[in-house]
Amino acid sequence: MSGFSIVGSGRYLPGRPYTNDDLARVMDTSDEWIRQRTGIEQRHYCPSGQGVSDLAYEASIKAIDSAGLKPTDLDYILFNTMTPDHLFPGSGPLLGARLGLNGVPALDLRAQCAAMLFSFQVADSLLQSGAAKRILIVGAEAHSGFMPWLDWDILEGTNKAAPSAEAWERATRHRGLAIIFGDGAGALIVERSTAPGVGILSMDLHSDGDLVDELLIPVGFRSRPYVSEQCLAEDLIIPRMQGREVFKHAVSKLPQSVRAAVEKAGMTLDDVDWFVGHQANDRINSLVRDRLRLPHEKVPTNIAKYGNTSAATIPILVDEMRRDGRLKAGQTVCYFGLGAGMHWGATVVRT
Ligand code: UT7
């Protein structure tokens, strides 16, 4: 028993929601296809010029406020994103400076959609070792920067023209990827609790770099220079996702991990109040639920409103559940997720 406790949460979704019909203006897709194959109805995109440190700042302020704290009460930042403001440095120090926490350690973690699970483990270790007393864990994503269209005015509806045949073909080529991701940020504040029974009960975490080709942004520092005309021509700045393969891994590995984490906690699935999963595709979580024979109401979903917000997803969902009263003190939650890396796992936490 670790004494890890979530004492504050916040979320921020930038701008207005963009519907599936909005997307159908720039590529060959439809509201019906997207709803049926993913459960997504809308997503948010941050305006050009905003990045994850800006989104994270808004979510963090709400989290700090909800905990009744001031920024200076925090002594560590864990920043989770796969879409940082800059290739380097990480976005953690930028968030720290925005919060007036200059000098406070800020560490970026890179576990994509499984980010929160890894951050929980790191935060728990920092708290147990005494290296930190109160940690801000943030997940934030600005996926809009890799969307495969340039005609944002056509998507917005402010330009009624049709995209060029070339622009339409390019966006359509990447449509499986483009329709699932949205922008947003979620923030959690964790501290060591002395309340009996509260904390992380088990962890089941995995990474396998042999699966890296199933989801990655191909550009990188193996090339000189790391971005070239050729990279742009070949769209190597846009994530390459083998959607079906990732899907298959998710629906096989996640039920195994959930079972393993619950067993390691010395519990049965029935003992768990909530199964809070990463939201990549509603069909993934429905299959995980069915394979484990979990009651529908124990597996919350919010993908319809936000799409897949990668590292931001779990803290956004936790914030919703804390604020609407679903998540209560004393409950047991199993968090689970899988993402690029490939990283995946589950953890059982008593709140
Ligand atoms: O965030 C963590 C990591 N990511 C994931 O977990 C994503 C996991 N994968 C998925 O969610 C799904 O694989 C996708 C939503 C990405 C794609 O759904 P799918 O059911 O696996 O579709 P598919 O890629 O197998 O494509 C089936 C058909 C294809 O047409 P043909 O070849 O059968 O004629 C695609 O071209 O659906 C077509 N298609 C689309 N049609 C309309 C793919 N995307 C779209 C689209 N609109 N957006």
Side-chain angles (χ1 to χ4, degrees), residues 10 34 43 47 62 69 74 126 169 193 203 243 296 299 324:
I34 299 172
R43 75 288 289 145
K62 291 182 186 172
L69 298 169
L74 306 168
L126 290 168
E169 187 280 324
S193 166
M203 281 275 173
H296 201 282
V299 188
D324 66 21

Side-chain angles (χ1 to χ4, degrees), residues 187-256:
L188 302 175
I189 295 171
V190 298
E191 60 182 33
R192 199 157 183 181
S193 166
T194 48
V198 167
I200 294 181
L201 306 183
S202 68
M203 281 275 173
D204 182 70
L205 299 186
H206 304 273
S207 305
D208 184 352
D210 274 346
L211 303 175
V212 70
D213 286 336
E214 294 187 9
L215 180 50
L216 81 168
I217 294 187
V219 288
F221 294 91
R222 280 180 167 165
S223 307
R224 299 177 189 174
Y226 60 91
V227 181
S228 60
E229 290 291 335
Q230 191 192 348
C231 292
L232 298 176
E234 293 177 11
D235 273 349
L236 302 185
I237 57 165
I238 294 178
R240 210 164 53 197
M241 182 172 79
Q242 297 173 27
R244 271 186 228 185
E245 298 311 312
V246 179
F247 191 102
K248 280 189 223 155
H249 282 297
V251 298
S252 67
K253 293 184 191 313
L254 289 173
Q256 284 170 16

Side-chain angles (χ1 to χ4, degrees), residues 29 33 37 113 175-176 241 243-244 246 278 280-281 283 308:
T29 190
W33 193 97
R37 304 293 273 242
C113 302
R175 62 186 172 177
M241 182 172 79
R244 271 186 228 185
V246 179
H278 172 60
N281 182 329
R283 281 164 51 224
N308 177 353

